[in-house]
Amino acid sequence: MFWTGRPRRAEKLMATALETAPAGTARARLHSVQARSLALIGARQEVRAALNAAADELQGAGDDAFLDEIGGELCFDPARRALCAGTSFIVLGEGTQAETEAAVAVQLFSTVPEPDRWAAGELSAQVDLATARVMRGDLAGAQDALTAVFALDPERRTEAVARRLANLGHLLGAARYRNAGEAAGIGEAIEDFATRSLSRGATRVIFNPAG
């Protein structure tokens, strides 16, 4: 539901599901999605509690015959939990914590063999890492985090990644970056990404270097 602008409804659904969800992977996923929903309504303490609960559930995960053994899109591991955490802290405007979690997500995704890696998740984590660094004023670090994203072939560019980049583009338009050449460079690369992306019709990126 939070993808359609109804975070409160999404949070209620997650809370209801948690009442009967089995321990481990299932609850870790629900808590993590709940955290993202809570972030959208500004519930800071509840976000941290949900993310901590997800981490605790993952400590005992791994023996679910369906979610863990079959895996695929149904699996949920520490990398995905860190991705949700980084995204949540970006929404809350907590750049330092967001950078920490996004960096963990990027590192954890990189340890998975490439054929088995969730590419979209890894790319999203890289954009989140860049966004967190921009929030902290580290434009050079943001550029470094986006290297692999901007090199992505157009047919592999998803709407989810394009939306994250669009949000980053808006952030770069702030007055504090008005005269920053690095900000202009990243903004232009975001526009080029959107223009050449297969999902370019779904996302309109606006970058205003004048703030």
Side-chain angles (χ1 to χ4, degrees), residues 120-151:
E122 181 180 29
L123 290 165
S124 294
Q126 289 166 335
V127 178
D128 281 355
L129 179 58
T131 301
R133 288 175 175 173
V134 168
M135 292 170 69
R136 296 197 309 100
D138 181 8
L139 296 180
Q143 284 182 318
D144 182 66
L146 291 170
T147 300
V149 178
F150 289 146

Side-chain angles (χ1 to χ4, degrees), residues 60-183:
D63 59 356
D64 189 301
F66 185 56
L67 299 179
D68 298 317
E69 293 183 19
I70 296 177
E73 289 296 320
L74 298 174
C75 76
F76 196 86
D77 56 17
R80 297 190 185 213
R81 181 256 172 215
L83 173 60
C84 287
T87 302
S88 297
F89 287 120
I90 285 173
V91 172
L92 292 174
E94 299 185 20
T96 299
Q97 191 64 44
E99 181 177 10
T100 297
E101 295 286 1
V104 169
V106 170
Q107 190 277 326
L108 290 175
F109 279 124
S110 72
T111 64
V112 178
E114 192 165 350
D116 301 323
R117 193 180 304 170
W118 183 34
E122 181 180 29
L123 290 165
S124 294
Q126 289 166 335
V127 178
D128 281 355
L129 179 58
T131 301
R133 288 175 175 173
V134 168
M135 292 170 69
R136 296 197 309 100
D138 181 8
L139 296 180
Q143 284 182 318
D144 182 66
L146 291 170
T147 300
V149 178
F150 289 146
L152 197 66
D153 291 335
E155 62 270 16
R156 296 183 59 200
R157 299 179 180 185
T158 66
E159 181 179 347
V161 173
R163 286 183 182 277
R164 272 180 162 82
L165 285 173
N167 291 333
L168 175 54
H170 287 295
L171 184 61
L172 287 164
R176 65 184 290 198
Y177 301 123
R178 181 172 300 162
N179 299 314
E182 290 167 320

